[in-house]
Amino acid sequence: METAKPRTTALKVPLSTYRIVQIILAVIFAGYLIWRIYQVFFVEAVYGPDTWMRFTIAGLILGGVYSLIAIGYTLVYGILFMINFAHGEVMMIGAFGGYFTFEALRAIPASTATNPDTNFLNAHPTISVILAFLIGMSLSSTSGFFLEKIAYRPLRGAPRLVPLISAIGASIFLQNAAQLLFGAQRRDYANPDALARGIGFEIPVGEGIVVLTYTGVLTFVLSIVIMIVLYFLVQRTRLGRSMRAVAENKPVAALMGIDVDQVISRTFIISGALAGAGGVMWGIHLGLVFFFVGFIPGIKAFTAAVLGGIGNIPGAMLGGMFLGIVESIGPAILGLNFQLKDVIAFAILVLVLIFRPTGIMGEVLTEEKI
């Protein structure tokens, strides 16, 4: 005879007041957003399909740069559980590296049969761009390496707030050092003529023409390729396994024969290279570089990393793309001045921290962090 099984009842936990307020605010915001989208697309119809296409393309290009920088934040956070707020300045160093490479190549004469007065930059644009990326990424990697050695490694065992303060100090130091070395003026990136800004493929959309610029194509394609290579490196190589082991548990990784300090140094080198590539792309596509150029993109990339899920590499990629698109089309949808795009980006950071602190794809947690 079977014995009767005890009946279990689910424990009902009442929603907290804070959670209820969150839900109410989310419903209000979603309702307002749906109403604005209806007004913009069906009632006001201020912008045509060609303009929306331009917004989207600009957002994807900008999002690719944000993603590269955001991955650098994510890599460092995954290893050391700290936010490297000097990462934007590492990007700035890479942007200056690309700028001075182009300037040096432009000063080298390289006469050809068709144009005897040309220079190396315009005679060999492909080589020039490759050299700019190599030098910019090398300088940023070196900066990241020494930044970890000088500003972070001595504070390895300190409370987590101490390295954060050190990172802010390193950011201010690099900004002022760049201002003293290169001056405070804004400098124009002298791209090769074949990669001039504003020219590209003309695509008919609706009643207008959308120009898909060569610089935009280069920036977006390279950012996607670099992100795929990085994901393969982290998931499929010995260094990537070591990085994941150190992120999971440093003492156990050291017992297994992994040189923890070397892995951390290489992580900063890789994150610096990503920031350097983003800085060169920023200069080639947008055309301006100065000592403060990395601060705002760095903060926005941090927003992208939090949006995707800090410590989550695919999340950083997705967060960067999403932030770039929202920053591009957000002012048009909300009916705001386009100069307020930074306000939208940082408002997203506040909303994510309120409604989903773990990000879209979730924060990668380990027992040590918990």
Side-chain angles (χ1 to χ4, degrees):
M1 181 176 179
E2 295 184 0
T3 58
K5 296 181 179 180
R7 298 179 62 184
T8 59
T9 58
L11 180 63
K12 295 183 179 180
V13 180
L15 290 174
S16 65
T17 305
Y18 177 72
R19 186 62 177 170
I20 293 174
V21 171
Q22 278 187 322
I23 294 174
I24 294 173
L25 290 176
V27 170
I28 293 174
F29 178 75
Y32 173 75
L33 188 61
I34 293 172
W35 176 77
R36 279 301 309 171
I37 291 174
Y38 173 77
Q39 290 288 319
V40 169
F41 281 95
F42 299 103
V43 179
E44 300 173 358
V46 177
Y47 304 106
D50 56 327
T51 304
W52 289 111
M53 180 62 72
R54 293 189 190 97
F55 290 156
T56 304
I57 291 173
L60 287 173
I61 295 169
L62 197 59
V65 178
Y66 288 159
S67 296
L68 286 180
I69 307 172
I71 292 173
Y73 279 110
T74 288
L75 288 175
V76 172
Y77 185 85
I79 295 291
L80 293 179
F81 312 140
M82 62 160 285
I83 302 299
N84 179 19
F85 277 118
H87 196 58
E89 280 59 50
V90 175
M91 168 203 159
M92 174 264 296
I93 293 173
F96 269 110
Y99 166 80
F100 285 114
T101 301
F102 279 168
E103 291 297 311
L105 295 177
R106 191 171 64 165
I108 300 174
S111 60
T112 61
T114 57
N115 191 353
D117 298 326
T118 189
N119 51 48
F120 189 94
L121 180 67
N122 293 317
H124 307 283
T126 303
I127 298 176
S128 300
V129 171
I130 293 174
L131 286 175
F133 274 98
L134 289 177
I135 293 175
M137 293 171 71
S138 298
L139 289 175
S140 292
S141 295
T142 305
S143 302
F145 174 78
F146 284 107
L147 192 64
E148 189 272 332
K149 288 278 189 183
I150 298 171
Y152 303 144
R153 182 169 295 187
L155 306 174
R156 187 77 55 81
R160 291 172 62 178
L161 182 62
V162 176
L164 180 65
I165 297 172
S166 179
I168 297 173
S171 171
I172 297 172
F173 169 79
L174 291 175
Q175 287 177 18
N176 285 272
Q179 184 179 11
L180 290 173
L181 288 173
F182 310 129
Q185 69 273 22
R186 297 170 180 257
R187 300 172 183 264
D188 292 326
Y189 248 68
N191 289 0
D193 292 340
L195 202 62
R197 283 177 290 275
I199 64 171
F201 308 101
E202 295 185 354
I203 304 173
V205 177
E207 298 179 355
I209 299 294
V210 175
V211 178
L212 188 59
T213 61
Y214 298 140
T215 58
V217 173
L218 175 69
T219 300
F220 182 75
V221 172
L222 272 181
S223 63
I224 296 297
V225 170
I226 292 173
M227 285 187 282
I228 293 173
V229 171
L230 175 72
Y231 188 76
F232 177 81
L233 183 146
V234 172
Q235 297 294 327
R236 302 293 182 182
T237 65
R238 184 175 181 178
L239 174 59
R241 289 192 293 270
S242 299
M243 291 168 63
R244 286 185 281 126
V246 172
E248 186 71 26
N249 194 310
K250 292 182 182 65
V252 174
L255 291 174
M256 297 300 292
I258 297 174
D259 190 337
V260 174
D261 289 338
Q262 186 181 67
V263 170
I264 292 174
S265 293
R266 291 181 177 179
T267 301
F268 271 86
I269 290 172
I270 294 171
S271 67
L274 295 174
V280 177
M281 292 176 186
W282 185 277
I284 289 176
H285 182 62
L286 297 178
L288 286 177
V289 60
F290 56 104
F291 74 98
F292 204 65
V293 72
F295 181 76
I296 296 298
I299 298 298
K300 288 182 180 178
F302 168 67
T303 302
V306 174
L307 178 61
I310 193 73
N312 192 319
I313 293 178
M317 300 177 187
L318 177 62
M321 292 294 179
F322 180 80
L323 182 64
I325 293 175
V326 169
E327 184 179 321
S328 181
I329 68 175
I333 290 179
L334 297 177
L336 301 175
N337 191 307
F338 280 88
Q339 294 181 350
L340 297 177
K341 61 180 182 179
D342 293 344
V343 175
I344 295 175
F346 298 128
I348 290 175
L349 175 61
V350 175
L351 292 174
V352 170
L353 292 175
I354 291 175
F355 295 108
R356 189 171 174 81
T358 58
I360 296 174
M361 299 187 67
E363 181 181 4
V364 177
L365 293 173
T366 62
E367 291 183 3
E368 184 177 346
K369 289 173 63 179
I370 295 174

